[in-house]
Amino acid sequence: MTSKLFYFAFPILLLLLPFFDSPSLAQTPSNNPISPGTICNSTLDPSYCKSVLPNRHQNVYDFGRNSVRQSLSQSRKFLSLINKYLKKQSSLTPSAIGALQDCYFLATLNMEFLTSSLQTVSNTNQELPSSQADDVQTLLSAILTNEQTCLDGLQSTASAWSVRNGLSFPLSNDTKLYSVSLALFTRGWVPKKKRATWKPTEQQQLFRHPRLPLKMSSKTRAVYETVSRKKLLQNVGGEVEVSDIVVVSQDGSGNFTTINDAVAAAPNNTKGNNGYFLIYVTAGVYEEYVSIAKNKNYLMMIGEGINQTIITGNRNVVDGWTTFNSATFAVVAPNFVAVNITIRNTAGAVKHQAVALRNGADLSTFYSCSFEGFQDTLYTHSLRQFYSGCDVYGTVDFIFGNAAAVFQNCNLYPRLPMAGQFNALTAQGRTDPNQNTGISIQNCNIRATNDLASANITIQTYLGRPWKEYSRTVYMQSFMDSSINPAGWSAWSGDFALSTLYYAEYNNTGPGSNTSNRVTWPGYRVINATDAANFTVSSFLLGDNWIPQTGVSYTSGLI
């Protein structure tokens, strides 16, 4: 991942609360008119907040709508500014162009997210239902992540200094404005009551079948059973609707010989009413860079198994790619599901940041997949993500990003890094305490690979380190082998984020789980079951609302 070269400095009012309420503000009903000075006390930068809000008494909803409207307007201006720089490509280096293209792509997403958010906040002056509030809070959280990703790409591109200088000020101001919008939305529309922890039924707890029960037409079913050589079995997990199927096979026996051609053939902007468009990828090594655009929603991709269906590439930062665009497989399409696939980046440790999977797909699910790389293997970039029964291999910061991501029943494999490096399993990138993001690792196994375990040199392996100021990662009910350093966690740089991060452990096992010699940072804690429940599939992802339709097994609460 990119280094922490630049970071917006905000005054800190309170550190680890989901939003910032002064006592007087907390006692003020949301519909009562208050001054901009009072409402701005619930934001990270009250002075900046007061400079952009109307100088008159309004309620929190009017202030919030005003902020979101301004945010949308600024996002349009920033997109236009990036476009102006891209029109001068002849004077730019390839790395600068790459960073700008990332920014342009992310800025277009921000406009979409803000347009959707404004539609919601314009229609109500009261707290939203939890699911709807979570949708908007997720979008506003992702907008800040997209801004930071754009900045990180520019900062890590030395040849882009002139572009960086021209964009740093608008990036800084826009980020502050987006932070105000997120804070006011959280203050006015997000329910204050703690979400109830849903308890899974016996059937959902027992659903561990290795194949998804797919519901499809007889013609489609015949195609699937022919290429997969498997009979579809009914089980307690229910059925998954499939609208159509195409087959990718390198020998020409399917509909397509490349994965990208199959993705291009998928319908655009479907609502999912008729189920998933299924791409079945037969065994083979597919040397291609797969990109699944936002309009390819409700796409399901099934391979023939880990190390059978393999997608591989070797893009990396050393060779001039941005971290964001180094991914072998990138997806931003909502409701994406992948099963039985290995995704690799083979650049090697010497090439530093080299992403296998970059996931910015909301409500996405990966089941029985493998992600293989070294530094920055799995980029959980943004929005809501669930990983079940997956394997992740890497060295430095090999699970990183700022999504709300839950890993359940997965295997995390730290491997042998370059000389002079240490391993960090996670580097979570939360930049604002109102973002509903973080990494939750539940009922997983953390074991060193054979090359690391048998190395004659001492390699330090840590559970994580704080990439950004409000980094949030929780390990619970997981096995940790002896490769984990007794301190557990590593600092990023000096005392950066040690007070503002949220790192927690709950009821883990194994020789590496002993917390008696853990770090003593203000932001680290050993938590109880009540706190741990906040990071379960049910509470952290509201996963009971969307994971069942995927057919993927999961446990809703604590195990």
Side-chain angles (χ1 to χ4, degrees):
M1 104 205 20
T2 51
S3 300
K4 181 180 65 64
L5 298 172
F6 180 88
Y7 191 79
F8 301 120
F10 294 114
I12 300 171
L13 301 179
L14 295 173
L15 298 180
L16 296 170
L17 297 177
F19 53 90
F20 300 96
D21 274 339
S22 65
S24 59
L25 185 58
Q27 296 165 8
T28 304
S30 297
N31 277 302
N32 285 8
I34 52 177
S35 70
T38 301
I39 191 64
C40 284
N41 285 334
S42 65
T43 68
L44 279 173
D45 192 335
S47 178
Y48 174 82
C49 174
K50 285 189 287 187
S51 74
V52 296
L53 292 185
N55 188 23
R56 59 179 181 271
H57 282 59
Q58 293 183 335
N59 63 36
V60 65
Y61 301 108
D62 291 331
F63 280 128
R65 278 186 285 270
N66 182 282
S67 177
V68 175
R69 287 192 195 98
Q70 288 190 62
S71 294
L72 178 58
S73 176
Q74 286 303 114
S75 72
R76 293 193 183 102
K77 292 177 183 177
F78 186 67
L79 186 63
S80 177
L81 180 60
I82 298 171
N83 202 33
K84 288 180 181 178
Y85 277 103
L86 283 171
K87 288 179 179 179
K88 303 174 183 177
Q89 289 193 21
S90 59
S91 63
L92 298 174
T93 64
S95 59
I97 293 170
L100 280 169
Q101 288 173 336
D102 290 349
C103 290
Y104 186 87
F105 171 75
L106 293 163
T108 59
L109 290 178
N110 280 356
M111 282 187 56
E112 292 181 32
F113 294 167
L114 282 163
T115 298
S116 176
S117 299
L118 183 58
Q119 289 174 347
T120 300
V121 300
S122 295
N123 291 328
T124 181
N125 270 26
Q126 62 184 8
E127 288 183 355
L128 293 168
S130 290
S131 60
Q132 193 174 8
D134 197 62
D135 288 344
V136 178
Q137 190 176 12
T138 295
L139 294 180
L140 295 177
S141 296
I143 289 164
L144 284 169
T145 302
N146 291 343
E147 288 287 287
Q148 188 66 48
T149 303
C150 169
L151 180 63
D152 285 340
L154 293 171
Q155 290 295 122
S156 64
T157 307
S159 59
W161 67 269
S162 61
V163 176
R164 184 168 64 246
N165 289 344
L167 292 178
S168 289
F169 182 75
L171 271 170
S172 175
N173 272 354
D174 289 355
T175 297
K176 292 178 183 179
L177 180 58
Y178 299 158
S179 178
V180 170
S181 293
L182 176 58
L184 297 186
F185 177 80
T186 304
R187 174 67 182 87
W189 284 274
V190 175
K192 306 303 184 295
K193 292 182 179 179
K194 184 179 180 296
R195 297 165 180 162
T197 301
W198 181 89
K199 294 183 178 180
T201 65
E202 182 180 2
Q203 286 188 334
Q204 285 166 310
Q205 288 177 317
L206 291 174
F207 177 25
R208 291 290 183 268
H209 202 277
R211 292 189 292 275
L212 300 181
L214 304 174
K215 182 180 181 181
M216 54 184 73
S217 68
S218 58
K219 179 181 177 181
T220 301
R221 179 181 292 269
V223 172
Y224 180 87
E225 293 184 349
T226 298
V227 296
S228 68
R229 300 182 299 278
K230 298 171 183 173
K231 294 294 182 180
L232 297 172
L233 303 178
Q234 300 296 319
N235 57 44
V236 297
E239 290 186 321
V240 179
E241 295 276 354
V242 173
S243 59
D244 201 358
I245 181 174
V246 294
V247 178
V248 180
S249 183
Q250 290 175 321
D251 64 8
S253 62
N255 305 93
F256 303 97
T257 57
T258 70
I259 297 169
N260 278 312
D261 285 346
V263 172
N268 296 331
N269 300 312
T270 63
K271 302 297 184 183
N273 297 334
N274 296 319
Y276 293 92
F277 183 86
L278 173 59
I279 298 175
Y280 189 88
V281 187
T282 61
V285 179
Y286 295 81
E287 297 181 4
E288 55 179 306
Y289 295 95
V290 177
S291 181
I292 302 178
K294 193 173 186 294
N295 62 348
K296 300 294 183 178
N297 42 329
Y298 287 97
L299 189 66
M300 177 178 286
M301 188 176 294
I302 299 180
E304 294 202 329
I306 291 175
N307 293 328
Q308 297 298 312
T309 298
I310 301 167
I311 306 169
T312 183
N314 63 2
R315 289 176 178 170
N316 59 85
V317 168
V318 172
D319 289 343
W321 299 91
T322 59
T323 302
F324 184 80
N325 215 19
S326 69
T328 300
F329 193 111
V331 55
V332 292
N335 301 98
F336 176 77
V337 181
V339 183
N340 295 340
I341 294 172
T342 289
I343 301 171
R344 289 177 180 160
N345 190 311
T346 61
V350 70
K351 295 293 188 175
H352 295 278
Q353 296 96 332
V355 175
L357 169 68
R358 188 193 82 229
N359 186 4
D362 197 23
L363 310 178
S364 57
T365 304
F366 286 79
Y367 175 55
S368 190
C369 290
S370 178
F371 313 104
E372 300 177 11
F374 288 84
Q375 182 171 349
D376 291 6
T377 302
L378 176 51
Y379 196 170
T380 58
H381 181 261
S382 55
L383 304 168
R384 292 165 290 191
Q385 310 176 9
F386 179 57
Y387 300 83
S388 175
C390 293
D391 300 335
V392 192
Y393 296 80
T395 56
V396 181
D397 307 334
F398 67 88
I399 300 173
F400 75 110
N402 196 26
V406 173
F407 292 78
Q408 199 172 86
N409 308 320
C410 293
N411 299 302
L412 311 184
Y413 294 113
R415 61 197 308 183
L416 187 66
M418 285 196 303
Q421 288 185 329
F422 63 86
N423 290 331
L425 275 69
T426 65
Q428 206 280 328
R430 188 164 167 253
T431 61
D432 190 297
N434 286 302
Q435 289 177 310
N436 60 350
T437 56
I439 296 172
S440 174
I441 295 173
Q442 182 187 22
N443 197 37
C444 294
N445 291 300
I446 302 163
R447 301 179 188 273
T449 56
N450 290 337
D451 61 350
L452 177 60
S454 62
N456 293 324
I457 55 177
T458 301
I459 301 296
Q460 301 301 320
T461 297
Y462 299 95
L463 298 174
R465 60 180 185 148
W467 183 24
K468 304 297 181 184
E469 191 166 2
Y470 294 92
S471 184
R472 180 161 64 173
T473 302
V474 177
Y475 286 83
M476 51 193 190
Q477 302 176 311
S478 294
F479 173 85
M480 302 176 182
D481 75 4
S482 59
S483 66
I484 301 301
N485 185 287
W489 307 81
S490 176
W492 185 275
S493 178
D495 63 356
F496 170 74
L498 302 187
S499 295
T500 50
L501 60 79
Y502 184 101
Y503 286 169
E505 298 180 54
Y506 168 72
N507 202 24
N508 298 301
T509 60
S513 67
N514 189 330
T515 60
S516 60
N517 292 312
R518 288 296 198 247
V519 294
T520 57
W521 306 335
Y524 169 76
R525 73 278 324 272
V526 177
I527 57 176
N528 59 25
T530 300
D531 291 333
N534 293 323
F535 299 96
T536 59
V537 167
S538 175
S539 294
F540 197 51
L541 297 181
L542 297 189
D544 299 320
N545 295 339
W546 57 275
I547 296 177
Q549 70 177 328
T550 71
V552 170
S553 61
Y554 73 106
T555 298
S556 183
L558 294 173
I559 295 169

